Structures are given as C-alpha cells and as structure tokens.
Amino acid sequence: MSPRVALRILGLLLMLFSLTLVPPILISWLFADGDWHAFAIAMVITAGTGALVYWPNRRAHKELRTRDGFLITVLFWSVLGLFGSLPLMLSSAPSLSWTDAVFESFSGLTTTGATVLTGIDLLPEGIRYYRQQLQWLGGMGIVVLAVAILPTLGIGGMQLYRTEIPGPLKDSKLTPRITETAKALWYIYAALTIICGLAYWLAGMNWFDALGHSFSTVAIGGFSTHDASIGYFDSPTIEQICVVFMVISSASFGLHFAVWREKRLSHYLHDPEFRFFVSFLALLSLLSIATLLADPNYTQWKALRHGLFEAVSVATTTGFGVADFSLWPGALPFMLFVAAFVGACSGSAGGGMKVIRILLIFKQGMREVTRLIHPTAVIAIKVGKIRVTDGVAQAVWGFFAVYVLLFFLMLIGLLATGLDQVTAWSAVGSALNNLGPGLGEVATDFGEIPALAKWILVVAMVLGRLEIFTVLVLFTPAFWRR
Amino acid sequence: MSPRVALRILGLLLMLFSLTLVPPILISWLFADGDWHAFAIAMVITAGTGALVYWPNRRAHKELRTRDGFLITVLFWSVLGLFGSLPLMLSSAPSLSWTDAVFESFSGLTTTGATVLTGIDLLPEGIRYYRQQLQWLGGMGIVVLAVAILPTLGIGGMQLYRTEIPGPLKDSKLTPRITETAKALWYIYAALTIICGLAYWLAGMNWFDALGHSFSTVAIGGFSTHDASIGYFDSPTIEQICVVFMVISSASFGLHFAVWREKRLSHYLHDPEFRFFVSFLALLSLLSIATLLADPNYTQWKALRHGLFEAVSVATTTGFGVADFSLWPGALPFMLFVAAFVGACSGSAGGGMKVIRILLIFKQGMREVTRLIHPTAVIAIKVGKIRVTDGVAQAVWGFFAVYVLLFFLMLIGLLATGLDQVTAWSAVGSALNNLGPGLGEVATDFGEIPALAKWILVVAMVLGRLEIFTVLVLFTPAFWRR
Ligand SMILES: [K+]
Ligand SMILES: [K+]
C-alpha cells in the first residue's frame, strides 16, 4: 500500500470521527454543564487534521489487498485513541494529563474499561457521556474487525470461521466484503443496544444512565457513569438485565448474524463455542456463589446476586462491578481473574484469548494424551462439524505462546516501574484481556500508578484488542518488503 | 502389564533402595551422631516390604512394553518418595511430621530442593548427608529417564531426540536398551560428581560438605548441608566452581554422551539447545548484574558475584543461594523466577519446561508471523539439522498448554488454602519446575505453609519431574483398556 493511500483513508477516518463529537456537544448543551467547547475544539482539531491529511491525497485510489488490512487496522486504533484523548484534556473538569487522557481514551476505544478517574459522578455530563460513547464506537469497530477482517487475515486461527459469513467476495479484495458484512453487524449491534437501553430504563435507570450503560454493556466495555458502577443502582433487576446482555454481547456476532439470517434460534444450541462458553460461565458462577455462601459475611441472597454478577462480568471481560471481588475470600479473586484470560467468544467485542482458542487447545491437549497410548493413531480434531486443519491449529498455538510471552515481558516492564507483583500481573492481565479492573492497587482505578506503567498498559490494550499478531506483523522486515 | 510383574519390579526396587541407606549409617557411625538406628530401622522396613512384595511374584516374568514405562516410572518415584521419608520421621533430630517428611523426601528425590527445615547445620550428620544423597540418587534416575525412557515414550516432543542415543534396539522392548544407555550415563554422572567434589574440596570445603554439595550440584538439586546454602562458605572460588558445574550438569547428558563417545568437544558448539541455553544464561546474568550495579547497596564485586551466581542457580533450576534474590530490586526476582519456567536442557536432571521446548515454541511463533505475510508459504522448522515433524511440534504444544493449565489449577488450590498470591504462585512454580526456593513466605523454606498446600506441592514436584504426561496418562481410561 502506498503511504498516500494510507493517508487518504486516515484523513477520511479522522473527519468521520470528528462527527462523533456532535452527540457529546448536544449532551453538554442539554445539561448546560459549561463544557461544550472542549468537544467543539477537539472536533475542529480532529476534522482539521483529517482534512489536511486527506486533501493532498484525495486522488490516491488503489484497491486494498488483504495485507493492507494489518496496517489500516493498527492505524485506525492508534490514531483514534490519540485523537479521542483530546476532549479529556480540554475539558475543564477531569483536566487530565496527556498520559492519563491517552490511557482513558485507549481504555475506552479498546473496550477495556480501566479508568484513571475517581469522582466520575461529579464530572460534567458531556464527559460522562463521551466515555461511554467511546466504548460503544470501539465495540462496533471490534465486532466488524473480529467477524469480517481478522478471519480474512488469518490471525491466530480465526480463519476457522472464514467461511461462515456469506458474501460474493472471498478473494483478497477487502473493501466490498467488509462494507457488506459491516452493515449487517451494525444492525444487530444497534438493535441490541436499543433493547438493552430500553430494558435498563424500564428497570429504573434515568435515560442518561440507560443510554450510557447500554453503550458499555453491548461493547463489553465496563465504563460507567458512576464510580460505583452497576452497584450504584443497587437493583437486582438491573443486575439481571446486565448479566443477560453481557452474555449475549460476548457471544459471536457472526453467530447472531447466522441466527438472524436463517431465523433459527437453534444455531445457538449447536454452536460449540457458545455451548462451551455458557457452560464455563455457569460453572464459574456456581463456584463463586458457593464460595460466597460459605462466607459468614454474605447472606444467601447477596451471595447469589454478587456471585453471579461478578463471575459473568469478569469472565466475559466486561468489568462492571457490584462488589469489589478483589477482596473476596480464598482463591476466588484469582480464579475469576484467570477466567478473563479465557475471555469472550470470537467475533464479539469481548476480550481475552477467546473461547474458541481455549477449546481448540483443550481438544489438542486431550489428543496428545491419547497419542501417548496409541502412538500411530490418526486423530482428527473437530469443532462442531468443522474439521480443524493443521494450519489453524498451529496458528492457535502460535497465538497462545506469543500471548503468554508478551504477558511476561510486559509484566516485567511493570514490575520494573516499582509496582508490586499482584498489582503488576493483574494490571497487565486486565489490559491485555481488555477486562478493566485489576487486583491490588488497581482494583478500583489506575490513577496512582507511574506514567511509564500507563503507557505499557496502553500498548497491552491495543495488542490484546487487535489479537496481537495484527500489531506484531508490522514489526517484521518481511511485512515492509514487497 | 500384569500387576504381578509390577509388584516384582517394585519389590526389587525397594530392596535395592534399602541398600542406599548403608552410606548414611556409616556417616552416622563415623560422626557418632547417635542417629544410626533411624536409618537401620528404615532399612529393615524398606527391605522387608520389598521382600514381601517381591517373593510371591518372583516368577512373574514378562517382556516389558513401551507402554509399561509410564506405570513403572510413576510407581518408581511415588514409592521411593514415600519410603525415603522414613529416616526423616524416625531420626531423633528433625523429628518431622509425616507430611513434612514426605515433602522433604519428594523434594529430594525429584531434585526440587525445597525444604521444610531450618537449623540444618545443627542436625545429625547422618540426616544432613542423607538429604544430599536423596538428590543424587534422584538426579541419576532422572538422567536415565530423560535420556533413555521419555524419548521412547514420546513425552511432550522428546521423541525429537529418540535417534540420538545409539543402540541395537529401537523397537518397543524397553529393558535391554535402558540397561545399556543407563550404564554409559552412570559413568558420566559419577565422573562429574567426583570432579565437582574434588574441586569443592580443593577450594576449601571439608570432605563432608564437598561430598554433599557435589551430590546436589550434579543433580541440579539445591539441597545444602547449611541453612545459608553456598553462601555459608563466602568463597568466590567455590561459587565459581558451583556455577560451572551447574551449567555442565543442566546440559543434556545425551550431549555429554555424544561428546564422550566421539571425543569431539565441538558437539557442544553445534548443539542448538545448548547454544540457546548458554546465550539465555549469559543474557540473564548480565541483566541481573546490571540491575544490582545500579543498586547503591551493592559494590561492583558483590553485584558481579551475586548476580552471576543467582541467575545461573535459578535459571538452571538448581536453587542454591548466596543471597535472597526474592528481596532484590524491581523486576529481578520475578524475571529470574520466570526463567526457571524455561529451565534446563532436556536430558539433564534440571527442571522447568526444558530449553528445547521453548526453542521450538519460539521458532513456531516466528513462523506464524511469517505466515500472516505469506499465507501460502510452506516453512519447515529445523533444530540444527533435524527437521521438526508435525507430531513433535504438536506434542510440544500439548505439553506447554497442559503445563500452563496445571500450573493454574494447582495455584488455585494453594490460594484456597489461604496463601497470598505471591507465595502461592511462586510455590507452585518452584515445585512444578523443580527449582526449590520461592518468593514471599516460601523464599527460604516451606515449613510454615498449611499441610494441604504441602501435599499439592508434592504432586506438583512429581508432575514436573515426570514431564507431566507420564503421570496424566495413567488417569485416562484408555491406558487401562488393553
Ligand atoms: K472490558
Ligand atoms: K532444584
């Protein structure tokens, strides 16, 4: 791809993104929070930069190839993450440093949901809304990325699902295919958001909270308009609505698409990833509830409510809270946190390594044991009716190994900034899995850790969000040799 | 394999093992520590049990098949670990509980080197010697296991080296091949021990310490006759001798064998695993020294001595100490500890996942990145001149995944006993990697943790020692169906 084509796309993207600052301006004006100029200035800077980058390259047209997908994807998230930080710096109220604003912006767009803020309830409404919208936009981008683009790029075994989405184009031309799939995904995503928001509103949230939380629920984001997160509402109904939508939204949107297209709900029952995911969530919820029931500080009802909610919230990598699970007894905080490494289903806005990969790794591990007893047996691995090729299996292993390696490298980086081990490992895990909350010092917010640590975590969020290889491949000489 | 054959072998093994209690009796008698009866009673019990098990089955002869290797190997370590605990319970001085004695015995035989004891310097000489001998015997067993048996069983990709050891029998008959290879390995192991012991003695250790430490050095064991470990001698010469023999002994004994047979030292230079291992140790030592140099509490000389020694001791999974590295600054304790997960070379008595596996995983990770750019390229993976087959690669991945999974499961178990996260993860890591020291509460000894935690760690030591799959396979129904 010529640099001029990249610049043209980037310019367009920035101009489009500047339009997303209109809603926060309206909210700001509606609540008269005196902060609309922050968004207006950010809008002018973003649109202006976009125009400056776009105009000289406006005629640089060229069909995009599969390979260009890597660069565009990484540019997309990096540039939007940076420009998304503008309102957070310009606004009168949180008045964040550059580091903090960038952290918060990337945390939003990558749907991680880790925050440097405290006292969110007291911030201007414009900013409170803006953070939620960042997650929603990021979530939408990720769903398109995960369903339509990454499988085509062959990232970490996701080509397994390449054939699932129908479309006339299965060759290396990206654009028409993405446009078509993106439209269908957009309808599903928007519909889910509307239903979720209405449900919240009917359950007692005001429209502002309902809107904001529907955004961050469907995006598996975890940002809230309140410090106390979902716990603020202290409503079992709202918690149950939230649990339902966290589960739906962390299932594959490719699967939702198939169900919607063929009007067959039974697809859910037959999808191996979804089945494994729901079973895993159920097991984890039961373990959490049982552990809390054994704790004298918890009533039965509270153990049930909190156990279910936190297990689902952490395991789906949403990161909403009704209680501080990091203070829970025994192995529970660790166990829930590790579940976030498994993460959500592929093709959702959720994070982690993705259920399908863990399922494949599990099946292959079983095969190795069988092989020890029957060394000459040829044992095929299947997911549902799809036979897993060696190429897919190797890609999954490669992903797993690099995930673990990067986790350790970034953990060493964080420890070097002086953080204790629990804070450091959970901060990296939270960022890499796009979860949100951590343990130790970062159980509630990431405000107090060193600036260098925040930058490492920004890198971790982007790496996790873009399935690692999308980013890593740009650092190989082979990518730049054409 | 019929149970009677298994019992015959087990009986023989116990009677043989009882003979290894003669040296501690002699030591006890020589130092007049008044404790010889502990070993004598243990000897009678062990030999008696052995005879009782052997005699009724003495005629149960049957050629062993490859598959029987799994069961015999696991029985070997479990039964010896249990009977090895007898002197530690019977002796007047440490007077350990059953749990503690079993922990110490397994820690010795698996060459882990984690101890429940403090005040080792004050114990009867017989016991102080016995612990060292346990490691030496365990180390010998592991070298034979790792070079001659595990590759034949196809554990976790170790079949890569199956062709390395020459021998007339490459079929499924185990016994003759093992006997022949074991003899050669025994010569090398014994020679290394003698040279190491002499070097220690010439450098100033008394003969008792020189003997004991040569045992635990060559076995990559890490037990010492002093609480302060190698630090007790405060001698740069002894430390340097120790570093040299830790590196030699954690290289593959299959490689040593090849060098000795063909009288060509250049084999070391050309072995990919050994080269990677030495480079990794060098890098780690430099990082440790550099970090300590930046610390005002360390003189240049002390940074050099301690940095080199601890890096090599932890990364080779020996676990000797000249300083408490768990108190070192920044990311250093964590980084060294994670290096133990990489571990020693295959075919040594060292622990960890083994360098060759990490090397293979690394090469395959690189291949996946290349594949993203050239999706249709066929890229073979080679280690030196050996081409890695898909079967080997899959076995390595399977090993890696199950290693990680078991690590997490046992970690959750330890957390459930009430240990803090740093203590728990490092204790499991230390046991699974057969390292010895941990971090947090188990930085110096394992005496104070709950009994249940100790039992979980015993399982971890055996799992790590027997390359996990040797044990796991026994828990599959398919293994018992013939
Ligand atoms: K999240
Ligand atoms: K050791």
Side-chain angles (χ1 to χ4, degrees):
Chain A
M1 184 166 57
S2 85
R4 294 178 68 95
V5 179
L7 288 174
R8 183 179 67 85
I9 295 173
L10 212 61
L12 267 177
L13 185 67
L14 282 176
M15 289 190 285
L16 265 175
F17 184 65
S18 73
L19 293 180
T20 68
L21 295 174
V22 172
I25 291 178
L26 291 179
I27 296 273
S28 195
W29 171 79
L30 197 67
F31 283 91
D33 67 4
D35 216 38
W36 65 271
H37 60 279
F39 300 102
I41 298 171
M43 193 170 166
V44 170
I45 296 176
T46 308
T49 313
L52 277 176
V53 168
Y54 170 76
W55 195 251
N57 305 300
R58 69 192 176 282
R59 276 184 247 285
H61 281 277
K62 211 170 145 189
E63 190 63 60
L64 292 181
R65 289 178 306 157
T66 302
R67 232 162 112 169
D68 302 325
F70 296 110
L71 189 61
I72 293 181
T73 305
V74 175
L75 276 178
F76 191 102
W77 255 271
S78 317
V79 171
L80 291 197
L82 289 175
F83 279 86
S85 69
L86 287 177
L88 295 158
M89 273 186 284
L90 295 168
S91 165
S92 59
S95 70
L96 295 179
S97 67
W98 190 52
T99 298
D100 280 352
V102 169
F103 182 94
E104 194 80 6
S105 170
F106 272 97
S107 176
L109 269 176
T110 59
T111 76
T112 306
T115 184
V116 292
L117 298 172
T118 47
I120 296 169
D121 303 62
L122 308 171
L123 292 177
E125 276 77 6
I127 286 290
R128 290 169 74 197
Y129 168 83
Y130 175 68
R131 291 169 71 244
Q132 307 300 115
Q133 184 187 278
L134 269 184
Q135 293 218 308
W136 192 66
L137 293 171
M140 180 63 218
I142 292 147
V143 167
V144 172
L145 187 72
V147 176
I149 306 182
L150 294 183
T152 319
L153 299 181
I155 297 282
M158 286 302 136
Q159 61 268 47
L160 185 67
Y161 284 135
R162 181 151 39 185
T163 50
E164 237 187 25
I165 303 294
L169 289 159
K170 278 186 187 162
D171 56 28
S172 66
K173 287 178 190 164
L174 268 183
T175 335
R177 187 183 154 75
I178 294 174
T179 315
E180 183 212 8
T181 314
K183 214 197 283 178
L185 294 173
W186 156 252
Y187 288 136
I188 299 170
Y189 192 77
L192 265 181
T193 310
I194 292 168
I195 301 168
C196 178
L198 278 176
Y200 279 147
W201 181 67
L202 289 173
M205 283 193 194
N206 63 37
W207 70 266
F208 180 78
D209 284 344
L211 183 68
H213 286 90
S214 71
F215 278 178
S216 57
T217 306
V218 174
I220 306 295
F223 269 166
S224 170
T225 47
H226 301 282
D227 278 343
S229 191
I230 296 289
Y232 171 86
F233 304 101
D234 196 19
S235 153
T237 317
I238 286 177
E239 288 164 23
Q240 279 149 31
I241 293 169
C242 188
V243 164
V244 169
F245 280 91
M246 287 193 284
V247 175
I248 294 175
S249 307
S250 51
S252 167
F253 275 70
L255 180 61
H256 292 319
F257 183 47
V259 168
W260 170 75
R261 193 184 51 209
E262 299 170 25
K263 312 277 173 283
R264 285 184 60 180
L265 275 172
S266 63
H267 279 316
Y268 290 120
L269 286 177
H270 299 136
D271 184 72
E273 186 182 24
F274 187 69
R275 286 167 58 155
F276 187 87
F277 180 56
V278 170
S279 316
F280 182 69
L281 284 183
L283 178 70
L284 208 66
S285 303
L286 286 178
L287 279 171
S288 303
I289 292 166
T291 310
L292 291 184
L293 281 176
D295 188 317
N297 296 321
Y298 272 77
T299 62
Q300 287 194 348
W301 175 230
K302 206 173 146 197
L304 197 70
R305 261 175 74 182
H306 286 193
L308 175 69
F309 188 90
E310 291 289 319
V312 171
S313 173
V314 176
T316 59
T317 74
T318 315
F320 281 135
V322 292
D324 187 352
F325 79 96
S326 76
L327 305 174
W328 281 0
L332 210 45
F334 179 83
M335 203 176 62
L336 288 183
F337 206 89
V338 167
F341 278 83
V342 176
C345 295
S346 61
S348 75
M353 283 193 267
K354 306 295 175 303
V355 173
I356 185 70
R357 291 204 181 95
I358 302 299
L359 184 62
L360 283 176
I361 286 170
F362 181 75
K363 288 198 174 198
Q364 289 182 85
M366 290 293 101
R367 178 170 69 174
E368 285 315 308
V369 176
T370 315
R371 258 200 198 146
L372 289 175
I373 308 166
H374 306 292
T376 52
V378 176
I379 311 154
I381 289 183
K382 284 184 164 190
V383 175
K385 284 169 188 162
I386 307 176
R387 184 169 168 156
V388 181
T389 63
D390 280 358
V392 168
Q394 284 162 8
V396 171
W397 287 121
F399 180 86
F400 183 60
V402 174
Y403 208 86
V404 171
L405 178 71
L406 283 178
F407 171 77
F408 278 120
L409 288 181
M410 291 191 291
L411 175 42
I412 287 171
L414 247 64
L415 287 167
T417 69
L419 295 179
D420 69 272
Q421 284 187 28
V422 174
T423 303
W425 90 260
S426 65
V428 175
S430 182
L432 194 60
N433 293 321
N434 301 118
L435 166 59
L439 306 172
E441 278 181 55
V442 291
T444 52
D445 71 273
F446 287 67
E448 300 302 309
I449 61 174
L452 178 59
K454 286 174 187 161
W455 283 101
I456 294 173
L457 292 174
V458 166
V459 173
M461 290 181 216
V462 175
L463 279 170
R465 190 67 284 173
L466 303 185
E467 310 269 328
I468 287 175
F469 281 103
T470 322
V471 183
L472 282 194
V473 80
L474 300 186
F475 290 90
T476 60
F479 181 82
W480 299 100
R481 264 197 310 267
R482 295 284 158 125
Chain B
M1 185 167 56
S2 86
R4 294 177 69 95
V5 179
L7 288 173
R8 184 179 67 85
I9 295 174
L10 213 59
L12 268 176
L13 186 68
L14 282 176
M15 290 190 284
L16 265 175
F17 184 65
S18 73
L19 294 180
T20 68
L21 295 174
V22 173
I25 292 178
L26 291 178
I27 296 275
S28 195
W29 171 79
L30 196 70
F31 283 92
D33 68 4
D35 217 36
W36 66 269
H37 61 277
F39 299 102
I41 299 172
M43 194 170 166
V44 171
I45 297 176
T46 308
T49 312
L52 276 176
V53 169
Y54 170 75
W55 196 251
N57 305 301
R58 69 192 176 284
R59 278 184 245 287
H61 281 278
K62 210 169 147 192
E63 191 61 62
L64 293 180
R65 290 178 304 158
T66 302
R67 232 163 111 167
D68 301 325
F70 296 111
L71 189 60
I72 294 181
T73 304
V74 175
L75 276 178
F76 192 103
W77 255 270
S78 316
V79 171
L80 292 197
L82 289 175
F83 279 85
S85 69
L86 288 177
L88 294 159
M89 272 186 283
L90 296 167
S91 167
S92 59
S95 69
L96 294 179
S97 68
W98 190 54
T99 298
D100 279 353
V102 168
F103 183 94
E104 194 80 6
S105 170
F106 271 96
S107 176
L109 270 176
T110 58
T111 77
T112 306
T115 185
V116 292
L117 298 172
T118 46
I120 295 169
D121 304 62
L122 309 170
L123 292 177
E125 276 78 5
I127 286 289
R128 289 170 73 199
Y129 168 82
Y130 175 68
R131 292 169 71 245
Q132 306 300 113
Q133 185 187 277
L134 270 184
Q135 293 219 306
W136 192 66
L137 293 171
M140 180 64 218
I142 291 146
V143 168
V144 172
L145 185 73
V147 178
I149 306 181
L150 293 184
T152 320
L153 300 181
I155 299 281
M158 286 301 136
Q159 60 269 46
L160 184 67
Y161 285 135
R162 183 151 38 185
T163 51
E164 236 187 25
I165 303 293
L169 290 160
K170 281 186 186 161
D171 57 25
S172 67
K173 288 177 187 165
L174 266 185
T175 335
R177 187 184 152 73
I178 292 174
T179 316
E180 183 212 7
T181 313
K183 213 198 284 176
L185 294 175
W186 155 253
Y187 288 135
I188 299 170
Y189 192 77
L192 264 182
T193 311
I194 293 168
I195 301 168
C196 178
L198 279 176
Y200 279 147
W201 182 66
L202 289 172
M205 283 193 192
N206 64 35
W207 70 265
F208 180 79
D209 283 345
L211 184 68
H213 285 90
S214 72
F215 278 179
S216 57
T217 306
V218 174
I220 306 295
F223 268 167
S224 171
T225 47
H226 302 283
D227 278 344
S229 190
I230 297 289
Y232 171 85
F233 305 101
D234 195 17
S235 153
T237 318
I238 287 177
E239 287 163 23
Q240 278 148 31
I241 292 168
C242 188
V243 164
V244 169
F245 280 91
M246 288 192 286
V247 175
I248 294 175
S249 307
S250 51
S252 168
F253 276 70
L255 181 61
H256 291 321
F257 183 47
V259 168
W260 171 75
R261 192 183 53 207
E262 299 170 24
K263 312 278 175 280
R264 284 183 63 179
L265 277 170
S266 63
H267 279 316
Y268 289 121
L269 286 177
H270 299 135
D271 185 72
E273 187 182 25
F274 187 69
R275 285 166 60 153
F276 187 86
F277 180 55
V278 170
S279 315
F280 182 68
L281 285 183
L283 178 70
L284 209 64
S285 305
L286 286 178
L287 278 172
S288 304
I289 293 166
T291 311
L292 291 184
L293 281 176
D295 188 316
N297 296 320
Y298 272 77
T299 63
Q300 286 193 347
W301 177 230
K302 207 172 145 197
L304 197 69
R305 264 174 71 182
H306 287 194
L308 174 69
F309 187 92
E310 291 290 318
V312 171
S313 173
V314 176
T316 60
T317 74
T318 315
F320 281 135
V322 291
D324 187 351
F325 78 95
S326 75
L327 306 174
W328 281 0
L332 211 44
F334 179 83
M335 202 175 63
L336 288 183
F337 205 90
V338 167
F341 278 83
V342 175
C345 295
S346 60
S348 75
M353 283 193 267
K354 306 295 176 303
V355 173
I356 186 69
R357 290 204 182 95
I358 303 298
L359 184 61
L360 282 177
I361 287 170
F362 180 74
K363 288 196 177 201
Q364 289 181 86
M366 289 293 102
R367 178 170 69 174
E368 284 316 308
V369 176
T370 315
R371 258 200 197 146
L372 288 176
I373 307 166
H374 306 292
T376 52
V378 175
I379 311 156
I381 289 183
K382 284 185 163 190
V383 175
K385 282 169 190 162
I386 309 173
R387 184 168 167 158
V388 181
T389 65
D390 279 358
V392 169
Q394 283 162 9
V396 170
W397 287 122
F399 180 87
F400 183 61
V402 174
Y403 208 87
V404 171
L405 178 71
L406 284 178
F407 172 77
F408 278 119
L409 288 182
M410 292 192 289
L411 175 42
I412 287 170
L414 248 64
L415 287 168
T417 70
L419 295 178
D420 69 273
Q421 284 188 27
V422 174
T423 303
W425 90 260
S426 65
V428 176
S430 183
L432 194 60
N433 294 321
N434 300 118
L435 166 60
L439 306 172
E441 277 181 54
V442 291
T444 53
D445 72 272
F446 287 66
E448 300 303 310
I449 60 173
L452 178 60
K454 285 174 186 162
W455 284 101
I456 294 173
L457 293 175
V458 166
V459 174
M461 290 182 216
V462 175
L463 280 170
R465 190 68 283 171
L466 303 184
E467 309 271 327
I468 287 174
F469 281 104
T470 322
V471 183
L472 283 194
V473 81
L474 300 186
F475 291 90
T476 60
F479 181 84
W480 301 100
R481 265 198 308 267
R482 296 283 157 130

